Amino acid sequence: MADGSWSPTPSLKSQVSEAEWRMRVDLAALYRLVALHGWDDMVYTHISARVPGPEEHFLINPYGIFFEEMTASSLVKIDMEGNIVQDTPYKVNAAGFTIHSAIHGAREDVKFVMHLHTDQGIAVSAQKEGLLPLSQTALAILPELAYHDYEGIALDLDERERLVADLGNNAAMLLRNHGTLAVGLDAGDCWRTMFILERACKIQVMALTAGRDGVLIAPEEAQDTVARQMAARGPLRLEGGQSAYELIWPGCLRRLHRQLPGFDA
C-alpha cells in the first residue's frame, strides 16, 4: 500500500510481552527511518534488537521484505545459533546473522545493532584515511569510531571474533570496502549514532570534491576539545542531560506516523 501499512503477518501484540512488543515497534521504526532517508539497499543490510528477558534471542528482518514495509509483527526472532524460535514464513539473511550474532553475543550493553550499505558510507570506508576530522559532525563521532577490514561477504562465522575485537567498546564502525555499523543501548541511541556517522561520511564525500589538498582539517586542539565535550555528557546523554530516546526518538516516531505509517502493526 502507498502508506506503507502492508503487513505480511497477523499482529503479534497479544502474543508477546509488553517489553518485547515495544522493542519490536522501535526496531520496525528504525527500518522505516532508514528507508525514509534513502539508506536502504533493497532487502540487504540489517538492523537487530536483543529481546528483553533471560533468553539470548534477538529480532532481525525477514529476508525478502523491504525496509519501508517492515512491521513490528513481521520481525523474526532467532537465537544465537541462528535458529528461528517463532512461527514465521520467512527466513533470515545469513550474513546478517553473522554480524549481528557476533555483537549481541559479545556486548551485553548493546540492545540495537544497525548495519548499512549507503553510497557515502561505502565511499568513506574505501578511503585509506577513513573518516577525516573535516566537520563538527565528524569530530562528534571520531572518538567512538572503530574499523574492520574487509574479508568478503560475512558468511564465515570465524569472522565474528575479529569483528567484535575491532569494535571493542565503541559505538560505531566503518566496515572497510563495505559500509557502516552503529550500536546502541536503545533505538534512539543507535539511530543518533548512525545518523551522525552517515552525515559525517556524506559531508566528507562532498568536501573531497575539492581534492585532498583542498580541504581544511580541524585543528588538533579543537578535535581534543570536542572529544572531551562528548565524553563529559556520559553514555546516551545529549544537551541538557536528556537521552536520545527522550529527546530525538519521539520526533522520529511522529515523522513516521505522518510519512510512513504502519510500522507498529
Side-chain angles (χ1 to χ4, degrees):
M1 295 177 64
D3 65 358
S5 62
W6 172 80
S7 177
T9 54
S11 176
L12 296 178
K13 186 174 183 179
S14 63
Q15 302 177 38
V16 300
S17 68
E18 182 179 344
E20 179 177 332
W21 182 251
R22 187 163 55 247
M23 179 159 282
R24 282 177 171 271
V25 171
D26 282 348
L27 181 56
L30 283 175
Y31 278 101
R32 298 284 187 111
L33 284 168
V34 168
L36 198 61
H37 281 74
W39 292 347
D40 50 337
D41 185 14
M42 293 198 298
V43 298
Y44 306 106
T45 79
H46 353 83
I47 316 169
S48 64
R50 181 191 292 272
V51 178
E55 302 90 355
E56 293 190 332
H57 294 161
F58 63 94
L59 301 166
I60 199 164
N61 52 312
Y63 201 28
I65 302 301
F66 277 35
F67 283 21
E68 69 202 49
E69 302 171 325
M70 208 66 64
T71 66
S73 297
S74 65
L75 294 161
V76 180
K77 189 191 303 185
I78 61 176
D79 63 21
M80 290 299 176
E81 284 71 50
N83 300 306
I84 295 175
V85 295
Q86 70 175 81
D87 290 332
T88 177
Y90 295 99
K91 298 179 180 180
V92 300
N93 180 272
F97 168 72
T98 300
I99 294 171
H100 292 258
S101 64
I103 298 172
H104 284 301
R107 292 277 300 270
E108 289 290 335
D109 60 315
V110 167
K111 299 299 185 290
F112 287 81
V113 180
M114 182 186 296
H115 166 50
L116 302 180
H117 295 162
T118 65
D119 295 348
Q120 63 265 16
I122 296 172
V124 174
S125 77
Q127 294 174 5
K128 289 182 179 180
E129 293 182 282
L131 187 64
L132 296 167
L134 297 178
S135 64
Q136 178 170 275
T137 309
L139 296 187
I141 198 69
L142 279 170
E144 50 185 350
L145 181 64
Y147 293 85
H148 176 65
D149 288 339
Y150 188 59
E151 300 185 21
I153 297 173
L155 300 176
D156 183 359
L157 296 181
D158 290 341
E159 185 179 354
R160 293 187 293 183
E161 182 177 348
R162 295 182 290 277
L163 188 147
V164 165
D166 288 339
L167 178 61
N169 292 320
N170 294 291
M173 175 180 277
L174 279 175
L175 303 171
R176 290 294 196 176
N177 311 101
H178 186 175
T180 54
L181 185 141
V183 303
L185 302 185
D186 57 48
D189 179 41
C190 188
W191 176 250
R192 169 187 167 272
T193 298
M194 182 59 84
F195 185 90
I196 294 173
L197 176 58
E198 285 289 341
R199 191 168 186 224
C201 289
K202 182 177 181 179
I203 291 168
Q204 178 162 317
V205 171
M206 295 171 69
L208 287 180
T209 59
R212 179 62 176 82
D213 295 333
V215 296
L216 181 65
I217 299 293
E220 288 190 15
E221 183 177 351
Q223 295 182 42
D224 293 339
T225 297
V226 174
R228 288 195 302 271
Q229 291 169 331
M230 297 300 294
R233 295 176 181 176
L236 298 178
R237 297 296 106 182
L238 303 177
E239 293 84 354
Q242 290 181 289
S243 71
Y245 199 77
E246 296 167 330
L247 188 64
I248 297 172
W249 192 242
C252 291
L253 297 183
R254 292 193 300 270
R255 173 176 287 179
L256 284 177
H257 281 301
R258 290 192 302 269
Q259 301 184 29
L260 199 55
F263 61 93
D264 54 349

